[in-house]
Amino acid sequence: MRVQRRVNLLVGTESGLMLLDRSGQGKVYPLINRRRFQQMDVLEGLNVLVTISVKYERIKFLVIALKSSVEVYAWAPKPYHKFMAFKSFGELVHKPLLVDLTVEEGQRLKVIYGSCAGFHAVDVDSGSVYDIYLPTHIQCSIKPHAIIILPNTDGMELLVCYEDEGVYVNTYGRITKDVVLQWGEMPTSVAYIRSNQTMGWGEKAIEIRSVETGHLDGVFMHKRAQRLKFLCERNDKVFFASVRSGGSSQVYFMTLGRTSLLSW
């Protein structure tokens, strides 16, 4: 995007704003770094440069699902050093059970959340709420497991996991792959891991599947039936815990190998 006035030239790029001095030796002066300039114009009468430059990736957001609303907080740096209220979306028709945030093409913030009816989106700028995927082939309420934002899709494509299935959709509710990820048994927990795989913890086994195709990459059988829940992934380890009602739980971990397989 370029704006030309008299001799000099302002150039907005994906990584910053530059001034091309055409009056002398043709030097280039960087004015603003590490910001994407999508559109700009000069208001000569006011000596003002008006730009559209959204830069979300340097902002940390915290998204919280409440009883019937979703709260979005943004990290405020020095002197505050805390998350501060950014947007609130209340009186949602479907109660949010899990929630995530995506940035479409580095510009548009959208909250993605799962409910007992399916998966929905909230446009952060307009506040509009719409459905992304409703599994109409299931008559009763569903259990959403995970919202996985697929890599290298500009935040536009998702793998939404519920019950014993996973469906590939985009943030506007269109099916993007004619493939359904199918777990061997009903998982109690599902998570995306850095090796570009998704893990499902069932009572009999842990399954590892390709996040791109849903194909089974590996399976680890339990010595005894138990319910397990994903905790977190740190460095080269995946941590999870047993889920026991009224009793103590045990924490386990698996180590990510160089071949992207997992071992105890």
Side-chain angles (χ1 to χ4, degrees):
M1 183 61 63
R2 301 181 298 175
V3 178
Q4 183 174 357
R5 294 293 184 268
R6 297 186 177 90
V7 177
N8 296 330
L9 191 69
L10 283 174
V11 178
T13 71
E14 292 288 326
S15 58
L17 179 67
M18 295 176 290
L19 172 67
L20 277 63
D21 183 0
R22 300 175 60 200
S23 62
Q25 300 177 359
K27 292 184 177 180
V28 178
Y29 299 94
L31 301 180
I32 299 176
N33 296 321
R34 297 194 299 269
R35 183 178 292 273
R36 178 180 184 267
F37 283 81
Q38 180 184 359
Q39 185 176 343
M40 62 187 185
D41 198 2
V42 174
L43 307 180
E44 291 188 87
L46 301 175
N47 290 323
V48 171
L49 172 67
V50 180
T51 74
I52 298 175
S53 56
V54 179
K55 186 71 173 180
Y56 283 121
E57 56 263 39
R58 297 188 65 195
I59 303 175
K60 295 179 181 178
F61 290 97
L62 175 65
V63 191
I64 302 173
L66 300 176
K67 184 176 181 179
S68 60
S69 65
V70 171
E71 306 283 342
V72 182
Y73 293 80
W75 177 258
K78 188 178 180 180
Y80 303 102
H81 296 293
K82 65 178 181 179
F83 281 104
M84 301 184 73
F86 178 65
K87 289 288 182 75
S88 177
F89 306 99
E91 299 182 359
L92 298 173
V93 175
H94 302 289
K95 177 182 177 181
L97 300 178
L98 61 96
V99 67
D100 207 337
L101 186 75
T102 186
V103 183
E104 296 178 334
E105 299 176 321
Q107 301 175 50
R108 300 176 299 275
L109 279 173
K110 283 190 177 177
V111 170
I112 312 295
Y113 73 94
S115 73
C116 63
F119 296 86
H120 324 273
V122 182
D123 186 291
V124 172
D125 288 333
S126 67
S128 62
V129 183
Y130 59 93
D131 298 327
I132 287 182
Y133 180 73
L134 303 177
T136 55
H137 60 288
I138 299 178
Q139 301 302 317
C140 57
S141 62
I142 68 163
K143 179 182 179 182
H145 294 301
I147 299 167
I148 299 172
I149 301 168
L150 298 178
N152 305 316
T153 63
D154 281 333
M156 299 283 291
E157 296 185 19
L158 315 165
L159 170 61
V160 292
C161 300
Y162 61 96
E163 299 297 304
D164 59 349
E165 298 178 342
V167 175
Y168 296 89
V169 296
N170 66 14
T171 52
Y172 292 90
R174 184 174 65 85
I175 299 294
T176 57
K177 293 184 181 182
D178 191 20
V179 173
V180 175
L181 184 151
Q182 191 75 52
W183 299 104
E185 61 175 320
M186 185 74 72
T188 54
S189 190
V190 174
Y192 172 76
I193 56 176
R194 287 182 309 162
S195 55
N196 204 27
Q197 294 169 307
T198 183
M199 295 181 65
W201 284 264
E203 290 192 0
K204 298 179 181 178
I206 301 173
E207 297 179 45
I208 300 95
R209 294 182 175 270
S210 166
V211 78
E212 297 291 344
T213 64
H215 292 165
L216 183 66
D217 290 339
V219 61
F220 296 85
M221 304 300 295
H222 302 325
K223 295 179 180 178
R224 55 184 174 82
Q226 57 182 326
R227 299 180 70 242
L228 299 169
K229 182 177 178 61
F230 169 74
L231 296 177
C232 66
E233 179 185 358
R234 289 292 183 272
N235 299 324
D236 61 344
K237 293 179 174 59
V238 177
F239 294 86
F240 51 97
S242 57
V243 180
R244 299 173 183 172
S245 58
S248 60
S249 295
Q250 188 169 353
V251 176
Y252 305 88
F253 71 87
M254 300 177 78
T255 302
L256 291 166
R258 293 184 179 180
T259 59
S260 296
L261 295 179
L262 297 150
S263 58
W264 288 104

